[in-house]
Amino acid sequence: MAEIKSEETSEKKSLNFIEQIVENDLKEGKNGGKVQTRFPPEPNGYLHIGHAKAICLDFGIAAAHGGVCNLRFDDTNPTKEDVEYVESIQEDVKWLGFDWEDRLYYASSYFQKYYEVAVKLIKEGKAFVCDLTAEEMRQYRGTLSTPGKESPYRNRSVEENLELFERMKAGEFPDGSHTLRAKIDMASPNINMRDPVLYRISHAAHHTTGTEWCIYPMYDFAHPLEDAIEGITHSICTMEFEDHRPLYDWVVREAGYTVNPPRQIEFARLGMTNTVMSKRKLRALVEDGLVDGWDDPRMPTISGLRRRGYTPESIRDFCERIGVSKANSSVDYAMLEYCIREDLKLKRPRLMAVLDPIKLVIDNYPEGQVEYLEAPNNMENEELGTRKIPFSGELYIERDDFMAEPPKKYKRLYIGNEVRLMNAYFVTCTGYEADDDGTIRVVHCTYDPETKGGNAPDGRKVKGTIHWVEASNAGKVEVRLYENIVDEEKGVYNKEDGSLNVNPNSLTVTSAYVEPELLKAKGYDSYQFVRNGFFCADIHDSREGAPVFNRIVSLKSSFKLPKA
């Protein structure tokens, strides 16, 4: 495999197969030595993590070779597209860190050009108007092992085809009654070349052109023309379009773009475990009210990941790590979680929050006293500074940090055991109070005032350290804990009807006591809650002094990076 050398690190990095193709084209002087790519989403939904891979690839390939990348909306299907999606896509691309500058395009801007190419093909005897229904066309198409049958309308005269196509454009025919088809080869082993449809009738308003048009080009006709018109050199798409490449090349060639035509290159789309990667299925989750919109933090959409607290850096890192190939495979969702942990662990403050609280009373602490202790914001990154945290004789601790009857090797609080309160003192458990049903309400202890800061002057050691929140200054906030939107045990899809196996426990809403610093959080502010995971203030539901926290990811995982 070819390699490149980074000037900054002097480390060699292997080129993926697309980068090799681009490098070879540049060496051979193709396309006048330029590289121009495009990211061409259809605005029929919000982008998801699979699109992030394509964005990083399209913009990244161009940037790495001194080229440019267009953002283009493939908006040729007015019944499914909306300006809401156009706006969300632009926001997502910018948030990921990419800029198309003045290269924003719409397929709909070329409607007149598509029409002119279609007329050209009719005049050259390479396209015809067909009256077959969609079902009849399927019957005529043939199979992978048998050739198709020519449409009875295939041999209409040029004049008749021009007249019918003009009447289609004028709106004289209902939807589905006529199509314009290419005249290629009904016996081709590639079914995509068996007189494919180029235009269909759709009396639907378009989000940019309104009702100006009632005939719309098919993707396989419009997309190659868009690339050719814009001067795209490398048209990078996913593997399902590999069999469409001969048609792509046919359209470009027959339209007359024979000098430096765009080159289509296919790569494997991103597959991930335990999540949904289908726009149609994601839309169903939204429309059925199973999630709180496209940016619900459980959704694998870019906006959902952003709201949950993922960073652009973590997603770009993920896309870099998974690489590019032609072989379909499935990436463990845990790798994405690994990337966000790696990105946040040194960047974010580590503050204290108690998610399942019980009261801890220090019986020998001066009654009514509140002192303020100095604590580092991140013990692994001194640059994040320190803060003052209140401490008194009444605290909240996590319920599982005390056990009345502890198992062997339990290192936290139980009667007679001494532990460290993080950044504070050593305490020794002396007893507890419980309800009639055995539920622990209060744990009692004593503290050693000589251990302020968490170390004993006599050098004695403790095996357990627990976090806490001072009770009188604690803030009570809403916390949302997430699991995968689909049921891992049942699999993503129901084998019988193809429906999603939605995880009923994908969202748990609870409350937590937090130290005062966390009450300052605003939307998108993220933190590590000590021992509980990384959390982000929700952009929609947080209010001043009353943040709502989404758990981005837990701290622990059994995931290990695959060996290179």
Side-chain angles (χ1 to χ4, degrees), residues 37-213:
T37 60
R38 83 290 170 271
F39 175 61
E42 181 182 2
N44 63 348
Y46 281 60
L47 301 182
H48 55 61
I49 185 67
H51 295 107
K53 177 180 178 180
I55 292 169
C56 291
L57 187 58
D58 289 327
F59 281 90
I61 287 282
H65 296 89
V68 293
C69 181
N70 297 353
L71 175 61
R72 181 207 305 146
F73 292 101
D74 264 328
D75 55 346
T76 59
N77 189 354
T79 60
K80 293 184 178 180
E81 297 156 357
D82 194 277
V83 69
E84 173 191 353
Y85 304 133
V86 170
E87 293 172 351
S88 73
I89 289 168
Q90 292 183 67
E91 182 181 3
D92 288 346
V93 174
K94 285 183 178 178
W95 178 77
L96 280 173
F98 300 103
D99 188 2
W100 56 88
E101 297 178 353
D102 58 350
R103 297 179 305 280
L104 175 63
Y105 299 96
Y106 292 84
S108 53
S109 301
Y110 309 130
F111 279 166
Q112 180 62 34
K113 182 62 178 177
Y114 306 146
Y115 175 75
E116 292 169 3
V117 173
V119 170
K120 174 181 182 291
L121 294 177
I122 293 172
K123 288 180 177 179
E124 293 174 354
K126 296 172 182 175
F128 67 100
V129 174
C130 184
D131 299 1
L132 292 179
T133 65
E135 178 57 34
E136 289 170 335
M137 251 186 270
R138 278 191 288 272
Q139 295 172 3
Y140 274 64
R141 187 175 296 133
T143 67
L144 292 174
S145 57
T146 60
K149 186 170 62 172
E150 291 185 354
S151 166
Y153 309 101
R154 194 176 195 267
N155 295 315
R156 278 174 163 155
S157 68
V158 169
E159 292 72 24
E160 185 179 3
N161 282 318
L162 287 172
E163 179 192 359
L164 287 170
F165 190 52
E166 184 61 32
R167 292 173 65 191
M168 287 170 60
K169 178 176 178 289
E172 294 186 24
F173 303 120
D175 293 1
S177 61
H178 296 74
T179 58
L180 181 71
R181 298 175 63 184
K183 192 184 293 187
I184 306 179
D185 181 7
M186 289 303 294
S188 172
N190 185 334
I191 290 180
N192 295 294
M193 300 297 283
R194 295 180 185 176
D195 293 3
V197 174
L198 305 180
Y199 264 92
R200 81 281 198 195
I201 300 171
S202 179
H203 291 272
H206 191 278
H207 71 98
T208 64
T209 60
T211 56
E212 180 182 354
W213 295 86

Side-chain angles (χ1 to χ4, degrees), residues 468-489:
W468 50 273
V469 172
E470 196 276 322
S472 65
N473 286 279
K476 192 173 184 180
V477 300
E478 180 177 314
V479 172
R480 297 164 180 172
L481 307 177
Y482 298 102
E483 296 180 7
N484 289 326
I485 190 67
V486 295
D487 193 317
E488 296 180 38
E489 294 184 2

Side-chain angles (χ1 to χ4, degrees), residues 227-242:
D227 287 347
I229 292 167
E230 293 175 14
I232 300 304
T233 59
H234 300 86
S235 181
I236 304 168
C237 57
T238 46
M239 286 301 297
E240 65 264 33
F241 293 103
E242 184 175 33

Side-chain angles (χ1 to χ4, degrees), residues 243-490:
D243 289 340
H244 296 244
R245 196 196 314 156
L247 179 55
Y248 179 100
D249 293 339
W250 183 90
V251 171
V252 169
R253 183 176 61 253
E254 297 301 331
Y257 295 94
T258 56
V259 178
N260 293 326
R263 178 177 184 178
Q264 179 175 300
I265 309 168
E266 306 86 15
F267 69 99
R269 68 164 57 212
L270 174 62
M272 290 183 71
T273 60
N274 302 320
T275 193
V276 190
M277 300 291 280
S278 159
K279 267 189 188 178
R280 183 170 59 85
K281 298 290 186 181
L282 293 174
R283 183 182 292 105
L285 287 173
V286 174
E287 293 176 349
D288 292 347
L290 297 173
V291 294
D292 178 29
W294 285 94
D295 68 346
D296 186 295
R298 291 166 290 179
M299 295 279 273
T301 55
I302 295 175
S303 57
L305 292 168
R306 178 167 64 246
R307 181 178 173 188
R308 184 158 173 172
Y310 277 80
T311 61
E313 295 84 355
S314 67
I315 294 177
R316 293 199 304 267
D317 180 38
F318 170 73
C319 292
E320 177 70 22
R321 289 178 184 276
I322 61 178
V324 179
S325 73
K326 280 185 170 287
N328 288 320
S329 60
S330 186
V331 178
D332 194 332
Y333 192 91
M335 181 180 279
L336 180 60
E337 296 177 327
Y338 171 89
C339 291
I340 188 62
R341 288 192 194 97
E342 286 296 297
D343 186 51
L344 294 182
K345 67 180 181 181
L346 297 181
K347 291 181 179 178
R348 298 296 188 263
R350 300 178 183 180
L351 307 185
M352 294 192 289
V354 176
L355 272 63
D356 186 13
I358 54 172
K359 184 72 72 71
L360 179 71
V361 175
I362 306 173
D363 293 315
N364 64 333
Y365 192 84
E367 186 175 352
Q369 175 177 302
V370 176
E371 64 177 307
Y372 286 83
L373 306 174
E374 191 85 14
N377 286 328
N378 188 319
M379 288 182 289
E380 293 184 71
N381 184 0
E382 294 181 358
E383 293 183 2
L384 292 183
T386 62
R387 70 192 186 284
K388 295 286 189 179
I389 48 176
F391 183 88
S392 74
E394 291 194 6
L395 314 171
Y396 291 112
I397 64 171
E398 297 286 355
R399 185 170 298 278
D400 62 6
D401 280 342
F402 170 80
M403 295 193 75
E405 298 179 6
K408 288 183 179 180
K409 298 184 179 182
Y410 184 77
K411 298 177 181 179
R412 287 164 280 172
L413 279 174
Y414 54 90
I415 293 176
N417 193 43
E418 186 176 47
V419 302
R420 177 187 291 105
L421 294 178
M422 187 174 290
N423 302 309
Y425 298 94
F426 285 10
V427 295
T428 301
C429 182
T430 57
Y432 64 92
E433 301 173 31
D435 293 332
D436 293 340
D437 62 1
T439 301
I440 307 295
R441 290 190 298 105
V442 181
V443 176
H444 289 270
C445 67
T446 59
Y447 87 117
D448 181 351
E450 299 299 317
T451 59
K452 186 174 182 178
N455 293 296
D458 60 6
R460 75 181 186 275
K461 304 293 182 182
V462 293
K463 294 183 178 179
T465 299
I466 64 174
H467 69 282
W468 50 273
V469 172
E470 196 276 322
S472 65
N473 286 279
K476 192 173 184 180
V477 300
E478 180 177 314
V479 172
R480 297 164 180 172
L481 307 177
Y482 298 102
E483 296 180 7
N484 289 326
I485 190 67
V486 295
D487 193 317
E488 296 180 38
E489 294 184 2
K490 294 181 179 178

